[in-house]
Amino acid sequence: MRVRKLTLAAMALAAGLSLTACQNDDGTDETSAPPAASAPSSPDGGSASAGTGSAGADQEGGGSDSAGKSPAGTGGTGGTGGTGGAAGEGTAAKCRTDELEITAIDATVGGDTEGTVAVDLKNGGGRDCTLAGYAGVDLKTNAGTISAERTGEQADPVVLADGENVTFGITYPINDTGGSGVRITGLVVTPPNETKSVTLDWPGGASLPASDTPGSPVKVGPMGSAGQGG
């Protein structure tokens, strides 16, 4: 009877070991940790958590893309050309001395208390050009050079097409003292914003009255101050 009990016990132990081995092979052992729960699927097939992260990246990327691109058809800040076009519209490069035909005539009217010389500048450069401000005017005399002072009138820019001209005036005191005064020997004209000058014969009165008064007795007006011809 003792031998039979031992045999039955051995058979029971073998059966228990066999059952344990089967459970480990198929992964269904109740003592094993349960697998992690799968996240719910998003509509596009990805997981819900992954979809949320993707949406955040898309929003950030979209914002950056919107800031870097202009709507179709606008051309963007650098593509409109509006500012550059507006600044250049209706303007022309300055007139160069070599492009201008400069002449001077006596324009004094009888009865005037001052003498007037009209200086004409004609555009012969084959392009539109701009004269803005005052010309430089110097009178060469036997006592040295006298520079004309500006009258202070507003000097608006003048755009000259090829062949057009503009005239400005020079005024000076008439020498009626009976003395020889200061003899004028020439007229030097420098167009606005230029450094090259043109020397002309002086067409006005032969002399200026001698004076000890400070300042220049010769005055120059802006472009157009002596009328404009064709």
Side-chain angles (χ1 to χ4, degrees):
M1 289 295 292
R2 182 178 179 80
V3 172
R4 185 176 179 182
K5 289 180 179 180
L6 291 174
T7 302
L8 292 173
M11 292 176 64
L13 177 60
L17 292 174
S18 176
L19 178 61
T20 301
C22 292
Q23 289 174 343
N24 289 338
D25 289 342
D26 61 11
T28 57
D29 188 358
E30 294 179 357
T31 61
S32 302
S38 299
S41 298
S42 63
D44 60 0
S47 66
S49 59
T52 302
S54 176
D58 288 345
Q59 289 173 358
E60 291 177 4
S64 175
D65 188 59
S66 299
K69 295 181 180 179
S70 300
T74 62
T77 302
T80 61
T83 302
E89 189 175 359
T91 63
K94 70 177 181 179
C95 298
R96 299 287 186 178
T97 302
D98 291 337
E99 297 176 315
L100 298 170
E101 179 183 346
I102 303 176
T103 57
I105 61 171
D106 183 10
T108 304
V109 177
D112 285 352
T113 57
E114 290 184 312
T116 301
V117 167
V119 179
D120 188 82
L121 297 89
K122 183 177 181 180
N123 179 15
R127 64 180 180 90
D128 292 357
C129 67
T130 302
L131 290 169
Y134 286 75
V137 171
D138 297 294
L139 269 59
K140 298 170 67 175
T141 76
N142 62 337
T145 300
I146 298 175
S147 296
E149 293 183 354
R150 297 175 180 180
T151 61
E153 299 171 72
Q154 183 173 337
D156 295 323
V158 176
V159 178
L160 296 179
D162 184 40
E164 290 185 341
N165 67 298
V166 65
T167 305
F168 68 87
I170 302 170
T171 57
Y172 61 95
I174 297 174
N175 183 15
D176 55 6
T177 63
S180 58
V182 179
R183 185 167 56 87
I184 302 172
T185 60
L187 168 63
V188 181
V189 176
T190 308
N193 303 309
E194 278 286 272
T195 57
K196 186 175 182 179
S197 303
V198 174
T199 300
L200 307 171
D201 292 335
W202 173 251
S207 64
L208 301 174
S211 174
D212 295 330
T213 303
S216 174
V218 183
K219 309 296 180 184
V220 56
M223 293 295 136
S225 61
Q228 186 170 347

